[in-house]
Amino acid sequence: MCSSDLLSEYLAGMPVDPEKHFLEIGCGMGVVGVVASAFGHRMTMTEYSPDALNFARANARANLPADDASLEITELDWSKPRLEGLFDYIIGSEVIYKEKDYQAILKLFKTYLRPSGEIILAEGVRKTSMEFFRQMSELFDITAQKKILRSKGEEVRVILARMKYKT
């Protein structure tokens, strides 16, 4: 079990509102977005790596109906984003690794999150993720839950953080 499993489980338990639109950053192989889409959420999955995009598309083809219009999979370069519209939710799993990405990710949040929107991130407990949340706490109210995931005798500590603009 990993952060993407935790985030998938969380999204699967959220009420479905066809008017709400999710943006997943760093979708990797597409686990979170495919699960969320399967539960009825309207998703735009993004990734920079062409190989990861191909895996995400294959995952969607294998696990979702072919006519699923609620899912879009597209390339996203965090430093030069080119997306249309605003999103009600921005989600990500294990996307906070490098301090050099903090500002690009924050710019994504500021550019694409609706003022009433929410960011939901699942991150391993690492120095970089904890520092990111500390910095983001200046702009966002953050509600975080620490989870301990156990698999094959290993324990992994994960933070599930929900972030909303401070009012």
Side-chain angles (χ1 to χ4, degrees):
M1 188 170 211
C2 61
S3 297
S4 60
D5 296 327
L6 181 64
L7 184 56
S8 295
E9 181 180 342
Y10 182 82
L11 297 174
M14 285 179 67
V16 173
D17 182 342
E19 300 298 314
K20 303 289 183 180
H21 195 171
F22 288 73
L23 170 65
E24 181 180 10
I25 60 172
C27 74
M29 293 174 48
V31 172
V32 173
V34 167
V35 168
S37 185
F39 276 87
H41 297 298
R42 189 165 61 126
M43 296 293 305
T44 297
M45 296 166 45
T46 65
E47 178 59 68
Y48 181 69
S49 162
D51 291 335
L53 281 168
N54 287 334
F55 277 112
R57 288 183 181 113
N59 188 359
R61 277 193 305 275
N63 293 291
L64 296 171
D67 61 348
D68 188 350
S70 67
L71 177 65
E72 179 185 356
I73 303 172
T74 189
E75 180 184 356
L76 178 64
D77 180 345
W78 295 351
S79 62
K80 295 179 238 162
R82 292 184 178 94
L83 293 174
E84 296 289 324
L86 297 176
F87 295 84
D88 301 286
Y89 296 94
I90 297 177
I91 64 171
S93 173
E94 297 297 348
V95 294
I96 312 299
Y97 275 101
K98 300 175 188 166
E99 192 172 333
K100 71 177 184 72
D101 291 334
Y102 292 0
Q103 291 308 308
I105 293 171
L106 177 58
K107 185 177 178 184
L108 280 176
F109 294 165
K110 288 179 173 180
T111 303
Y112 295 111
L113 184 66
R114 288 190 190 286
S116 61
E118 184 174 6
I119 300 156
I120 307 170
L121 300 175
E123 294 292 330
V125 177
R126 294 181 298 280
K127 182 179 175 184
T128 52
S129 58
M130 295 300 95
E131 177 59 19
F132 176 80
F133 290 130
R134 188 196 67 71
Q135 289 184 26
M136 294 301 110
S137 69
E138 295 174 15
L139 294 169
F140 298 96
D141 286 322
I142 302 174
T143 305
Q145 297 175 308
K146 184 171 139 185
K147 301 279 188 175
I148 298 174
L149 307 177
R150 293 177 179 88
S151 176
K152 299 178 185 173
E154 287 187 41
E155 285 189 352
V156 178
R157 286 170 171 66
V158 177
I159 299 291
L160 181 67
R162 296 173 49 207
M163 303 168 43
K164 290 186 142 208
Y165 283 114
K166 289 189 176 200
T167 53

